[in-house]
Coordinates of all heavy atoms in Angstrom, one line a residue:
Chain Y
T164 N -19.9 -4.6 2.4 CA -19.8 -5.5 1.2 C -19.0 -4.9 0.2 O -18.9 -3.7 0.0 CB -21.2 -5.8 0.7 OG1 -21.8 -4.5 0.3 CG2 -22.1 -6.5 1.7
L165 N -18.3 -5.8 -0.6 CA -17.5 -5.4 -1.7 C -18.0 -6.2 -2.9 O -18.0 -7.4 -2.9 CB -16.0 -5.7 -1.5 CG -15.0 -5.4 -2.6 CD1 -14.9 -3.9 -2.9 CD2 -13.7 -6.0 -2.4
E166 N -18.5 -5.5 -3.9 CA -19.0 -6.1 -5.1 C -18.1 -5.9 -6.3 O -17.6 -4.7 -6.5 CB -20.4 -5.6 -5.4 CG -21.0 -6.3 -6.7 CD -22.4 -5.8 -7.1 OE1 -22.8 -4.7 -6.6 OE2 -23.1 -6.4 -7.9
I167 N -17.9 -6.9 -7.1 CA -17.1 -6.8 -8.3 C -18.0 -7.2 -9.4 O -18.6 -8.3 -9.4 CB -15.8 -7.6 -8.4 CG1 -15.0 -7.4 -7.1 CG2 -15.0 -7.3 -9.6 CD1 -13.8 -8.4 -7.0
Q168 N -18.3 -6.3 -10.4 CA -19.1 -6.6 -11.5 C -18.3 -7.0 -12.7 O -17.2 -6.5 -12.9 CB -20.0 -5.4 -11.8 CG -21.0 -5.0 -10.7 CD -21.8 -3.8 -11.1 OE1 -21.4 -2.9 -11.9 NE2 -23.0 -3.7 -10.7
R169 N -18.9 -7.8 -13.5 CA -18.2 -8.3 -14.8 C -16.7 -8.7 -14.5 O -15.8 -8.1 -15.0 CB -18.3 -7.2 -15.8 CG -19.7 -6.7 -16.1 CD -19.7 -5.6 -17.1 NE -18.9 -4.4 -16.8 CZ -19.2 -3.5 -15.9 NH1 -20.4 -3.6 -15.3 NH2 -18.4 -2.5 -15.7
T170 N -16.6 -9.7 -13.6 CA -15.2 -10.1 -13.2 C -14.3 -10.4 -14.4 O -14.8 -10.9 -15.4 CB -15.3 -11.3 -12.2 OG1 -16.1 -12.3 -12.9 CG2 -15.9 -10.9 -10.9
E171 N -13.1 -10.1 -14.2 CA -12.0 -10.4 -15.1 C -11.0 -11.3 -14.5 O -10.9 -11.3 -13.2 CB -11.3 -9.1 -15.6 CG -12.3 -8.1 -16.2 CD -11.7 -6.8 -16.5 OE1 -10.5 -6.6 -16.1 OE2 -12.3 -5.9 -17.1
Q172 N -10.2 -12.0 -15.2 CA -9.2 -12.9 -14.7 C -8.2 -12.1 -13.8 O -7.7 -12.7 -12.8 CB -8.5 -13.7 -15.8 CG -9.3 -14.7 -16.4 CD -8.6 -15.6 -17.4 OE1 -7.7 -15.1 -18.1 NE2 -9.0 -16.9 -17.5
G173 N -7.9 -10.9 -14.1 CA -7.0 -10.1 -13.3 C -7.6 -9.7 -12.0 O -6.8 -9.2 -11.1
D174 N -8.9 -10.0 -11.7 CA -9.4 -9.7 -10.4 C -9.1 -10.9 -9.4 O -9.4 -10.7 -8.2 CB -11.0 -9.6 -10.5 CG -11.4 -8.4 -11.4 OD1 -10.6 -7.4 -11.4 OD2 -12.5 -8.5 -12.0
S175 N -8.6 -12.0 -9.9 CA -8.2 -13.1 -9.0 C -7.2 -12.6 -8.0 O -6.1 -12.1 -8.4 CB -7.7 -14.2 -9.9 OG -8.6 -14.8 -10.7
A176 N -7.5 -12.8 -6.8 CA -6.7 -12.3 -5.7 C -7.3 -12.7 -4.4 O -8.4 -13.2 -4.3 CB -6.6 -10.8 -5.7
M177 N -6.6 -12.4 -3.3 CA -7.2 -12.5 -1.9 C -7.7 -11.1 -1.5 O -7.0 -10.1 -1.7 CB -6.1 -12.9 -0.9 CG -6.6 -13.0 0.5 SD -7.6 -14.4 0.8 CE -6.4 -15.6 1.1

Side-chain angles (χ1 to χ4, degrees):
Chain Y
T164 58
L165 178 68
E166 180 183 18
I167 309 174
Q168 296 182 327
R169 304 181 303 282
T170 53
E171 302 172 356
Q172 288 186 327
D174 297 331
S175 295
M177 177 76 84

